[in-house]
Amino acid sequence: ALSNAVSVGAHCRMRLDHQKLLLEAIVDEVQEDIALISASGVVEDLNRNIVNRLGTPKAELVGRRCETLRSGPDDPPLCDPSDAACPFRVALATGKKAERLHTAVSADGRLRYYRTYTYPIADGSGRIGHVVGFRRDITDRTVGEISARQAERIETMGRLSSYLAHELRNPMFAASGFARRLANMEELPEAARERAGIVVEELTRMEALLKQFLEFARP
């Protein structure tokens, strides 16, 4: 019986070690920042991605307060317990997944975007003892989306400008032609011809603006 118990125990240890290695390999290969944080805000574990980016041994990072842990030199902290909207605090308070978009300015002055997700972990009694935090650098994707929206706006403005310019040009040319004829009619009073000249000048200025609109709308 003792021999069987030892054999079963050894088999269980082998399975546990295998599962532990498998889980560590999966977590370390994920190209996102992952940290296990206790309910008191202490970092209990983190993945290799954070360790490599900071260049600090894992043993020195474990045990730190979560507000002092950053996934990179220029990144905001993984959590901020003093902030009521922090995903860490929200997950602890609600027992549900929380997420938030963070921005930070890097050392080279570039605005970076991060998305943080937190998942509460409850023990057997239902008490939340830990929170798992995921952070993803979404700068390239966000900048691409912003650029795409700006390009779409510019394209829309270009189409609108072209439409307005073409729609306004014909009546303006007709009005300008009539105004020039009135300005050159000697039988009209001088005051009327001066007013017609003012109309011609203003329409000429508007034609120049329309040309600028068409230049803007050109691909």
Side-chain angles (χ1 to χ4, degrees):
L2 287 174
S3 176
N4 288 338
V6 171
S7 178
V8 171
H11 180 68
C12 289
R13 281 196 299 273
M14 287 179 61
R15 289 190 61 186
L16 286 172
D17 289 342
H18 176 73
Q19 294 296 328
K20 181 174 180 290
L21 289 173
L22 180 61
L23 181 60
E24 288 179 349
I26 293 173
V27 171
D28 283 335
E29 289 304 319
V30 172
Q31 299 301 308
E32 296 179 4
D33 305 327
I34 305 176
L36 177 65
I37 306 170
S38 69
S40 59
V42 176
V43 177
E44 295 194 359
D45 203 355
L46 40 81
N47 70 339
R48 189 165 54 200
N49 195 50
I50 300 178
V51 175
N52 291 342
R53 288 174 64 183
L54 290 176
T56 305
K58 184 176 180 178
E60 295 183 15
L61 299 174
V62 173
R64 289 187 180 182
R65 296 287 305 173
C66 64
E67 60 264 33
T68 66
L69 180 66
R70 301 173 182 270
S71 51
D74 302 324
D75 299 343
L78 281 173
C79 75
D80 184 5
S82 63
D83 183 1
C86 174
F88 170 76
R89 283 193 59 181
V90 174
L92 279 179
T94 63
K96 298 179 181 179
K97 168 193 171 184
E99 64 177 274
R100 186 181 186 183
L101 176 67
H102 297 264
T103 58
V105 180
S106 60
D108 58 359
R110 185 186 178 196
L111 184 63
R112 303 196 65 84
Y113 299 85
Y114 303 88
R115 176 72 69 179
T116 301
Y117 305 85
T118 54
Y119 300 85
I121 300 177
D123 56 22
S125 64
R127 185 180 63 86
I128 299 175
H130 295 83
V131 172
V132 176
F134 291 79
R135 168 167 290 173
R136 178 182 301 167
D137 188 339
I138 59 171
T139 301
D140 293 339
R141 186 186 74 187
T142 304
V143 170
E145 291 173 353
I146 292 173
S147 299
R149 287 197 297 267
Q150 289 176 342
E152 185 178 355
R153 280 198 207 99
I154 291 174
E155 183 181 356
T156 302
M157 286 289 294
R159 289 199 300 266
L160 179 62
S161 300
S162 179
Y163 171 78
L164 289 176
H166 285 296
E167 289 297 316
L168 292 175
R169 195 172 234 185
N170 291 336
M172 281 181 56
F173 280 159
S176 180
F178 285 124
R180 284 189 172 89
R181 287 185 62 185
L182 290 173
N184 294 327
M185 292 177 65
E186 296 183 357
E187 59 269 26
L188 286 179
E190 182 68 24
R193 283 187 288 159
E194 287 181 1
R195 293 192 183 96
I198 294 174
V199 172
V200 171
E201 292 175 1
E202 294 301 320
L203 287 173
T204 302
R205 187 169 66 87
M206 291 183 68
E207 287 174 11
L209 288 174
L210 281 180
K211 287 181 181 179
Q212 293 179 10
F213 269 102
L214 288 174
E215 288 291 331
F216 174 76
R218 184 174 295 175

